[in-house]
Amino acid sequence: MASTRKDPVLVVLQLSGANDYLNTVIPFTDPLYRDYRPNLGLPEDQIIPFTDDLAFHPSMGPVKDVWEQGKMAIIHGIGYENSSRSHFRSMDIWHTCEPDKVGTEGWLGRVIRDLDPAGENVLKGVNFGQGLPRAMALRGVPVTSVSDLASYGVLTDVPAIGGGEERERMLELFSRVYSPAIGNGPVMDYLGQTGRDALKGADIIKTAPEQYSSTVEYADNPIAKSLKSVAQVHLANLGTQIFYTQYGSFDTHFNQLPAHAKLWVDVSGAVNDFFADLREHDAADNVVMLVFTEFGRRVQDNGTGCDHGRGGVAFAIGDRVNPGMYGEYPSLKAEDLIEGDLAPGYDFRGFYSTFAERWLGLDATPIVGGKFEQLDFLPTH
Amino acid sequence: MPSQEDIALMAHLMRRAGFGASRAELEERAAKGYEATVEELLNPGPEPGIDEDELIRYFPQFESSLAPVAAQTEWVYRMINTRWPLQEKMALFWHQLFATGNSKVDNPPELLQQIAMFRREGLTTFPNLLVQLAQNPAMIYWLDNNGNHYGSINENWGRELLELFSMGVGHYSEDDIKEASRAFTGWTIGTKPPRQPVGRFYWSFEFKPEDHDYGEKQFLGHSGNFDGGDIIDIVVKEEDTARFLARHLYNFFVADEPQVPAWNITPPNDLDAIDRLVQAYLDSGADIRSILRALFNSDFFKQARFAHVKSPAELVVSTARLAGNYNGPRTGFPLLAFECGWQGQELMNPPSVESWHTGSEWIDGGALVRRVNFAAKLLSDTSLPGIKAIVAGLKEQGTLSPNEFVNACLDLAGPVEVDEGTHQELLAQAQAGGDITWDSEEAAAESERRTGVMLAMIAATREFQFA
Amino acid sequence: MLTTVAAGRVYDFSHCMGMYSTSGIGFLVPQDFALGSADTLYVLNRGVDEITMRISKCTLNHEFIADIGRAGTGDGQFVWPTSLDLDREENIYVSDENLNRITVMDKDGQFLTKWGAPGSADGELNRPSGIAFDSADNLYVVDSLNNRVQQFTKDGQFLGGWGSAGSGPGQFNQPWGICLDQQGNVYVADWKNDRVQKFSAEGEFLGQFGETPGGVGGLRRPTGVAVDSDGDVYVADWGNHEVKIYEPDGKFIASLVGDAEQPSPWVQDYINANPDVAKARRRTNMEVEWRFRRPIAVNLDAQDRLFVAEAVRHRIQIYTKERNYAEAALNL
């Protein structure tokens, strides 16, 4: 890469399905916690206290390490007014920053457009997962979505095509049948250009795993695999500034105790391995991770799980993060709950704005659709 | 014996009025004749398109799942297996026009009820369809008519009815929107038990007389104590409505048009064609079947082969039908439903009430790679019944020169029409392997493998992206 | 309704069990169930996806015991599990219409064995649906797409069978459920022929249920059948959302339509924990919830209590039967 300055990189990790705030960052000294969670209250001898009043879920040992290293900010009571209890609606609101209407533009789509107005790098934004999250969708902004880095590309899963040479011949043929000479009208030309760009993008991104080597051994689960792919692409210096990935389902209506524990084992381990990997390659200092979920879960458990709620918890993780806790843990008192849910005290669009403005150096107002309170977990740009 | 041209024209009709057809079906239909086939497509019989009981026997989760993919899977199953292809294609047309999304409704079973309504009513008249739409619970919730009250109107439904569902922007005033909204007050959704914890219950339309504004309204130059039905009756008699629907039908069935927001400033690509559809609308009293009959039997339709970029649903379903391995209940349908979404058309979750952008806007780099990989994988799998049939069709023709081989593959996979440059490339690929022969077991196996590769390459061409 | 009176019998709704749940307490799209010893209940849940498929083991006293089995093609896994029965040792047998096999597990869910091969020759299977043990612990298997009933030893040795495609006596059209009465006669829910057929243990046609004159008591796509100690026959009339009751000779006597006015304890707990669900239930007429929706399997316990599982309501409704009931005078 020609640039000597390291561009800031944002990695977004979405916890899909609504992560349970109360059992993630546990207000273990509050007697109301035990009252509300007769079946789901986590035993005091298993939780991991990190302040006098708060503890992490027993599965979050690696997160506690990150906290102790001073590389993590906890954002309490995040959400928005009139919070929707629908996963789809709420996730849509988080993706588009449009709480009052159905939005079409993703906030990260706008971020990517502002980072690369000419759309020169199709790898400016990369999603790991199937399909494109609405957060990255914006007409005219190319984003690359990779379901599996190892098999990404054109004609990769056609068993009839033999190995090596035959595949190479096929790709050359593909490139030629998408060449301008064969074009016939604007739509055909557009298709041709798109096909050749896709081939080129795939060629570039496929080099990432080939260049990669690391002593970090990621666990065998989907989020570890996704974050390893993020690390591989980041380390290949392809100019990607926005990474997106998700894990779930955190929708623990039933049997929450084992399910939630497994999810946090996976997430904690993967996040910790990811940053260790970057540090090993001296590539961590320009990376910050945003961890969010669409809403928290009901305060009162339902026997074996808990149902959809409101206010949740978000995290910012990275070497340049000003560590600490931001915002207030919402009150558990019955009179302060909204229909049995924690009342969100901080608007998520302020959280986004902090990343957009202080980390990426962009004007956050048009990105999140207004001015919202930013927090000091990132230094002013 | 139908001619090659008859087959090509029938293939065109079946791609547009359905989701494609196998060679055997094309030959059968071509023997019956083009117009007879149009009539058969336009007049589905009384029996359902699929065996509804079998559907639930083998996929009982369809009656209980709350997940979007279950609803999408059920619809994709119907698209592939229906005996009434145009009925299902019209459901897709109306879904793309009256775009309603799970991002807000958060209730896939109710969205599927809306699709079922499109299936049931989709070939009746436009006024009937708009009334059904106005009374469809998912639509009421999507456009907030449950919040449209006597004395405090919510204009969302009234506005979109005029702007996106009938007349198009610029042909009515803001006052017309307000008056139309008043007429739809009290059209709401009845209560029902919640969807958990005893399984799901369906919404129903409810008219609340105490919440309806019975006063006089002024609407598009008419005045009276209109209710919603009266508003629809007025709207459907407007020529702007005929023109708006004609352009949508043309864009969906004939050839790609500019996107809807540009319609005010960009004239139709084929004004004569639109005029003829408008005439059919006016002559028939907005009878959908009559308009479609005029469309499918017109020269402009017959000449519009490969002038339409396949939507993801069209690409996925027609490719699966060609491969022939999704006939009847089996596992694997959810992946087809997901595939539509991954290619950019998540069924029952359009990006907004303005629906998906169509034509070349279906395609970006990621979508193109997915389209190519999906189709190439299925069409190259010579173990699948539809591909086996293609191999058998080649075998019947005996030894084939590379040129004959390319042409026969293009023919049996569609027929797909490719331009000279593409043909040259496919030919060069075929020439590298020499003649196709079947005279020994080894030769037949290699010929079968090469057929798979050739079909993969055809699936990867630009031309394959078009219907 | 709560009480259904017919021909000297009274059926009283007792209570119900279950709720919608993706794991643990509750069921999800139940297909079949069986009553074990010590008041245990095994419910075969198709689930709504691969994650939620399982057998729920619980007690009749609403205590959850375990989730058994899961989706997949490996040992002890299912793709389209359809029917479940228990042998004398209370080992669990499950038919799978997709994998064309019978899976056997012990009562704790430990995989023991599997048998069955796809095909149409003797002993081969094409979508095995209903299964039922006879008193000798041999297993009858409804081989639905082969339109026949086959009998196997419990380790899968083919013993015999009968049936062919069609609508005449002894012929079938995609049959589904099966049960035996106390005499060892075999009843088969002949699904697409809209009837239940009765056979001797050897397959001799003895009669049929559901084709009654005048159309009363007719069946639509029946899925399950059970016979009580009096010989009365109960049919899960899946397509009509009812349970039809017939006298041993085939005479139709009553329909049950579902009476779950009182929610199950699990459902009640869920409502208590979810204020907005409680509100949504309060603002509407709940009668629709009491009624059967896709009754799919029926069983009787030793006291002739009737258990009805509903695929779309994720629950089991339980009825008691009173015999020798004399009506009170009409002019009271």
Side-chain angles (χ1 to χ4, degrees), chain A residues 79-80 89-111 134-137 290 292 347-353 356 364-370 372:
Chain A
Y80 53 95
R89 182 69 199 122
S90 196
M91 199 54 100
D92 221 54
I93 289 168
W94 277 83
H95 281 206
T96 62
C97 298
E98 294 276 14
D100 302 319
K101 63 175 181 121
V102 177
T104 53
E105 296 187 353
W107 79 281
L108 290 171
R110 294 187 282 250
V111 163
R134 199 169 278 197
M136 295 179 99
L290 180 169
F292 81 99
D347 193 296
F348 73 99
R349 289 167 290 183
F351 183 54
Y352 284 178
S353 298
T365 307
I367 289 171
V368 305
F372 296 89

Side-chain angles (χ1 to χ4, degrees), chain C residues 3-276:
Chain C
T3 291
T4 302
V5 180
R9 305 154 175 87
V10 177
Y11 295 96
D12 279 324
F13 171 76
S14 166
H15 64 285
C16 67
M17 302 186 57
M19 70 180 272
Y20 177 108
S21 119
T22 53
S23 69
I25 61 164
F27 313 135
L28 196 60
V29 194
Q31 298 292 288
D32 198 7
F33 66 100
L35 297 158
S37 60
D39 278 352
T40 51
L41 175 67
Y42 299 82
V43 180
L44 178 62
N45 301 291
R46 180 66 65 92
V48 292
D49 53 27
E50 294 184 353
I51 299 166
T52 54
M53 187 180 289
R54 71 212 191 255
I55 297 166
S56 302
K57 183 175 179 180
C58 58
T59 70
L60 294 181
N61 208 21
H62 313 280
E63 284 157 11
F64 172 70
I65 298 173
D67 281 337
I68 293 172
R70 61 189 173 92
T73 56
D75 288 347
Q77 299 177 347
F78 316 116
V79 176
W80 287 355
T82 302
S83 181
L84 175 151
D85 204 5
L86 307 172
D87 70 9
R88 268 187 226 152
E89 285 86 53
E90 207 167 316
N91 294 315
I92 306 165
Y93 287 66
V94 177
S95 63
D96 190 314
E97 285 192 284
N98 187 279
L99 298 173
N100 292 309
R101 72 183 186 196
I102 308 295
T103 288
V104 187
M105 292 178 289
D106 73 14
K107 64 180 173 184
D108 300 316
Q110 208 59 44
F111 172 76
L112 297 177
T113 186
K114 59 178 194 263
W115 49 263
S120 57
D122 279 353
E124 292 178 341
L125 301 169
N126 191 357
R127 290 208 181 145
S129 48
I131 56 174
F133 278 102
D134 67 10
S135 56
D137 238 8
N138 292 317
L139 190 68
Y140 287 98
V141 177
V142 175
D143 187 13
S144 69
L145 283 195
N146 285 326
N147 290 302
R148 64 188 180 185
V149 174
Q150 300 199 83
Q151 196 184 18
F152 297 87
T153 64
K154 61 198 233 175
D155 47 10
Q157 298 298 312
F158 174 71
L159 297 173
W162 69 88
S164 59
S167 57
Q171 294 182 322
F172 298 107
N173 193 349
Q174 279 175 260
W176 188 328
I178 187 169
C179 78
L180 277 71
D181 64 17
Q182 291 184 344
Q183 288 70 48
N185 298 310
V186 180
Y187 299 71
V188 180
D190 188 6
W191 188 66
K192 242 185 208 177
N193 281 329
D194 295 333
R195 64 180 178 181
V196 167
Q197 296 192 65
K198 178 179 177 182
F199 302 93
S200 71
E202 293 74 37
E204 182 196 348
F205 175 81
L206 299 177
Q208 62 183 33
F209 302 80
E211 290 189 348
T212 49
V216 182
L219 297 168
R220 195 177 141 65
R221 304 291 187 266
T223 54
V225 55
V227 183
D228 71 14
S229 62
D230 302 325
D232 287 347
V233 177
Y234 304 81
V235 181
D237 190 6
W238 181 85
N240 285 321
H241 309 289
E242 293 181 355
V243 169
K244 296 258 166 45
I245 309 173
Y246 303 88
E247 293 189 336
D249 64 0
K251 181 169 178 286
F252 169 71
I253 51 177
S255 287
L256 301 178
V257 296
D259 299 284
E261 195 172 343
Q262 185 63 41
S264 77
W266 294 341
V267 165
Q268 195 57 56
D269 286 348
Y270 183 94
I271 296 168
N272 295 345
N274 285 276
D276 44 358

Side-chain angles (χ1 to χ4, degrees), chain A residues 85 251 253-255 298 300-304 307-308 339-340, chain C residues 19-25 67 269-270 273-276 279:
Chain A
R85 278 183 181 161
D251 196 16
H253 291 277
F254 309 103
N255 253 7
R298 193 75 43 83
Q300 175 81 48
D301 74 42
N302 70 15
T304 72
D307 299 299
H308 299 180
E339 291 182 17
Chain C
M19 70 180 272
Y20 177 108
S21 119
T22 53
S23 69
I25 61 164
D67 281 337
D269 286 348
Y270 183 94
N274 285 276
D276 44 358
K279 284 183 196 165

Side-chain angles (χ1 to χ4, degrees), chain B residues 3 12 52 85 106 119 148 161 166 168 171 201 237-238 246 279 291 300 309 349 355 390 409 415-416 441 457:
Chain B
S3 72
H12 171 62
E52 301 286 342
D106 184 20
R119 182 178 302 116
N148 184 22
L161 170 67
S166 62
H171 302 293
F201 300 86
K237 293 200 174 71
E238 295 285 323
Q279 203 53 51
I291 306 167
F300 64 76
V309 175
N349 201 20
S355 193
I390 291 177
C409 284
V416 180
E441 230 171 84
M457 291 318 301

